[in-house]
């Protein structure tokens, strides 16, 4: 291992980290080190690798501390029985890399995860030490996201929250039975207990900050998790039910969905093919409906079949087509919650409609100025000069609204 150069380690451990999806840097506090004499800030622009919900591009140094791992999770490329090239950074190497990349304007922050070496406590101590040196020794003001280890001592997770903007613990799979079968060293109950402790600490810290701005920060960007889809037989209804429970029980900021990727020499307990990436996309859309549009899991799944989302159209349109009796909606009279259920209307569009209709009844031309496209909306609304007539009764409405077919490339698999 000592013969591996730093650039080779970076190539190996950055590639190993690509399976972590939860690296968006949204939700952190504004921090600027200009007055402290340190380095970095959580604002600004740079080379982009991920996107915040507001559309801002974020560049992060996304690496593993090591891809050695004492666990043997069947779906993981870095499992102990995997025949991959291994490497490990020291704490100081990661600190130096982060500072060097930041000074060259390559990155705005660090996303750090790791395989488990020696013990969960030892590995977590190393991760915390990286964040501590950056924050305390170098007064680094940039974004830090630490992937924490649920089996580690709770005091170490508490220390991690003192230095990191966001923490995350992977839930791994949608149910405990799948975790026990595919990741035998992990425990679903322990993962959720660690999530609960993190969520409790995040809420306590926020409450203390409301009473005193001098109260210490604890993971101001909250905590998140990642779930692998397609490695077990869980359907979309099961996945969304699990996500909904995690949001409600532990105050998670985000649940990230990562489509299972077949790995070399994998177990026969795993599927031979990856699920379609469109499934991952539809789950993210459904997740958005859960968190911001007031939909329940049961409502979302009304647009699917046999526990799976419709991959052809988005979940909100699928729900609307199954609930045509609720439409058309009068744009000039409906409240915000009803407007949000109209296919093609997002939160910003609804906000503009509510603002504009305070001054006059909206006509179709007004809506065309507010929305990027009204084609998808028209069958579901009425305005001062528009009514869809019998469009909602049309048997081919689904075919009219689904995306047009695309010619496959000769070079695509």
């Amino acid at each position: 291992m000592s013969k591996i150069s730093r650039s080779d380690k970076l190539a190996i451990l950055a590639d190993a980290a690509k399976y972590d999806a939860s690296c968006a840097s949204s939700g952190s506090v504004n921090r600027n080190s200009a007055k402290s004499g340190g380095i970095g800030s959580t604002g600004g622009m740079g080379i982009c690798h991920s996107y915040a919900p507001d559309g801002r591009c974020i560049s992060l140094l996304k690496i593993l501390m090591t891809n050695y791992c004492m666990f043997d999770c069947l779906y993981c490329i870095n499992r102990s029985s995997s025949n991959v090239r291994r490497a490990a950074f020291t704490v100081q190497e990661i600190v130096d890399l982060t500072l060097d990349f930041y000074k060259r304007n390559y990155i705005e922050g660090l996303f750090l995860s790791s395989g488990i070496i020696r013990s969960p406590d030892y590995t977590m101590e190393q991760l915390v030490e990286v964040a501590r040196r950056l924050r305390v020794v170098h007064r680094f003001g940039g974004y830090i996201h630490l992937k924490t280890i649920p089996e580690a001592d709770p005091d170490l997770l508490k220390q991690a929250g003192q230095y990191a903007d966001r923490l995350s613990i992977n839930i791994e799979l949608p149910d405990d039975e799948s975790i026990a079968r595919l990741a035998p060293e992990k425990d679903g109950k322990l993962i959720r207990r660690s999530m609960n402790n993190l969520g409790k600490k995040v809420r306590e810290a926020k409450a203390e900050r409301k009473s005193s701005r001098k109260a210490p920060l604890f993971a101001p960007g909250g905590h998140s998790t990642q779930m692998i889809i397609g490695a077990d037989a869980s359907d979309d209804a099961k996945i969304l039910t699990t996500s909904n429970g995690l949001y409600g029980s532990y105050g998670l900021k985000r649940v990230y969905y990562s489509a299972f990727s077949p790995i070399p020499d994998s177990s026969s307990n795993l599927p031979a093919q990856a699920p379609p990436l469109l499934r991952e996309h539809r789950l993210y859309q459904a997740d958005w409906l859960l968190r911001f549009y007031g939909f329940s899991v049961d409502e979302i799944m009304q647009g699917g079949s046999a526990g799976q989302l419709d991959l052809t159209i988005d979940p909100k349109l699928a729900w609307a087509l199954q609930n045509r009796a609720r439409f058309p909606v009068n744009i000039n009279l409906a409240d915000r919650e009803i407007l949000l259920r109209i296919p093609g209307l997002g939160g910003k569009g609804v906000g503009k409609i509510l603002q504009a209709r305070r001054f006059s009844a909206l006509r179709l031309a007004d809506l065309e100025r507010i929305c990027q496209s009204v084609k998808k909306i028209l069958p579901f609304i009425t305005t001062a000069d528009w009514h869809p007539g019998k469009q909602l009764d049309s048997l081919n409405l689904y075919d009219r609204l689904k995306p047009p077919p695309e010619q496959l490339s000769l070079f695509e698999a």
Side-chain angles (χ1 to χ4, degrees):
M1 184 173 69
S2 59
K3 296 181 180 179
I4 299 178
S5 67
R6 194 168 77 160
S7 61
D8 285 341
K9 289 183 183 179
L10 185 59
I12 295 170
L13 296 173
D15 184 70
K18 68 185 179 185
Y19 299 98
D20 267 309
S22 53
C23 62
S25 65
S26 57
S28 184
V29 295
N30 290 323
R31 186 188 303 108
N32 195 318
S33 56
K35 294 181 180 179
S36 69
I39 183 172
S41 72
T42 52
M45 302 293 290
I47 300 174
C48 305
H49 298 287
S50 59
Y51 292 86
D54 60 1
R56 188 165 56 96
C57 295
I58 308 293
S59 61
L60 298 174
L61 174 59
K62 181 180 174 184
I63 55 174
L64 298 187
M65 188 172 69
T66 178
N67 63 344
Y68 287 95
C69 191
M70 56 190 288
F71 287 1
D72 198 38
C73 306
L74 300 186
Y75 49 79
C76 181
I77 187 70
N78 300 314
R79 67 193 188 282
S80 60
S81 60
S82 178
N83 184 26
V84 296
R85 195 179 180 197
R86 307 281 181 173
F89 279 125
T90 65
V91 168
Q92 192 57 45
E93 282 178 324
I94 298 174
V95 171
D96 292 342
L97 271 176
T98 304
L99 297 176
D100 289 348
F101 275 45
Y102 190 91
K103 289 174 181 176
R104 289 169 172 77
N105 197 31
Y106 293 168
I107 61 167
E108 296 173 65
L110 170 67
F111 174 91
L112 184 60
S113 183
S114 180
I116 313 296
I117 49 173
R118 298 193 191 181
S119 71
D121 282 351
Y122 175 80
T123 308
M124 196 66 227
E125 285 174 1
Q126 301 297 297
L127 295 173
V128 170
E129 181 61 15
V130 170
R132 190 197 70 80
R133 289 190 194 181
L134 283 169
R135 289 283 192 244
V136 177
V137 178
H138 299 281
R139 289 174 288 176
F140 179 70
Y143 178 83
I144 298 178
H145 181 154
L146 291 184
K147 184 62 68 71
T148 58
I149 302 167
E151 294 83 5
D153 189 296
D155 284 343
L156 290 169
L157 302 187
K158 184 178 177 181
Q159 291 178 40
Q162 294 171 358
Y163 305 120
D165 293 277
R166 176 174 286 189
L167 302 175
S168 55
I169 296 176
N170 284 356
I171 188 67
E172 306 291 350
L173 296 161
D175 63 37
D176 289 357
E177 183 180 342
S178 295
I179 293 173
R181 184 168 56 88
L182 301 179
E185 291 95 347
K186 297 189 176 181
D187 183 342
K189 291 181 180 177
L190 175 61
I191 292 172
R192 289 195 295 278
R193 186 160 64 243
S194 296
M195 280 184 181
N196 184 49
N197 291 337
L198 277 187
K200 184 178 178 183
K201 188 59 186 172
V202 169
R203 291 192 298 273
E204 289 175 352
K206 286 184 176 178
E208 291 173 3
R209 291 282 291 183
K210 284 184 179 178
S211 60
S212 171
R213 300 304 298 173
K214 294 182 179 179
L217 290 169
F218 182 89
H223 65 128
S224 58
T225 192
Q226 177 174 324
M227 191 187 308
I228 299 170
I229 61 171
D232 67 347
S234 298
D235 59 20
D236 294 340
K238 173 63 180 176
I239 292 169
L240 291 174
T241 299
T242 299
S243 297
N244 198 41
L246 294 174
Y247 284 127
S249 301
Y250 309 125
L252 286 174
K253 199 78 172 181
R254 286 288 301 272
V255 175
Y256 292 88
Y257 305 98
S258 177
F260 166 71
S261 298
I263 53 179
D265 305 318
S266 61
S267 165
S268 59
N269 290 327
L270 294 172
Q273 291 187 328
L277 284 178
L278 193 54
R279 184 184 178 194
E280 182 183 284
H281 178 61
R282 295 297 182 219
L283 283 169
Y284 275 116
Q285 289 179 319
D287 185 280
W288 206 260
L289 297 182
L290 280 177
R291 291 188 294 144
F292 302 113
Y293 287 75
F295 282 80
S296 68
V297 174
D298 288 341
E299 287 177 320
I300 292 170
M301 295 314 303
Q302 288 174 13
S305 175
Q308 302 287 11
L309 295 170
D310 190 327
L311 295 185
T312 304
I313 57 176
D314 70 78
K316 189 158 75 164
L317 175 58
W319 172 83
L321 291 174
Q322 294 297 322
N323 292 273
R324 302 186 192 196
R326 293 177 177 237
F327 300 97
V329 168
N330 189 325
I331 286 289
N332 290 297
L333 297 176
D335 59 25
R336 183 176 184 277
E337 287 71 24
I338 299 299
L339 293 175
L340 282 173
R341 294 195 168 226
I342 298 173
L345 267 185
K348 288 185 178 178
V350 168
K352 291 178 180 177
I353 288 171
L354 293 174
Q355 180 71 18
R357 77 184 190 185
R358 294 170 56 193
F359 304 100
S360 65
L362 299 182
R363 307 173 74 84
L364 192 54
D366 300 320
L367 210 55
E368 288 174 341
R369 284 191 289 273
I370 290 174
C371 304
Q372 291 184 343
S373 172
V374 297
K375 179 181 177 182
K376 192 173 179 181
I377 302 172
L378 288 178
F380 302 98
I381 62 164
T382 64
T383 66
D385 61 346
W386 166 258
H387 191 283
K390 296 184 178 180
Q391 287 193 40
L392 286 169
D393 298 328
S394 172
L395 295 177
N396 67 347
L397 186 57
Y398 180 97
D399 292 328
R400 285 170 47 201
L401 295 176
K402 72 180 183 181
E406 295 182 4
Q407 176 66 50
L408 293 176
S409 167
L410 291 174
F411 303 102
E412 289 182 352

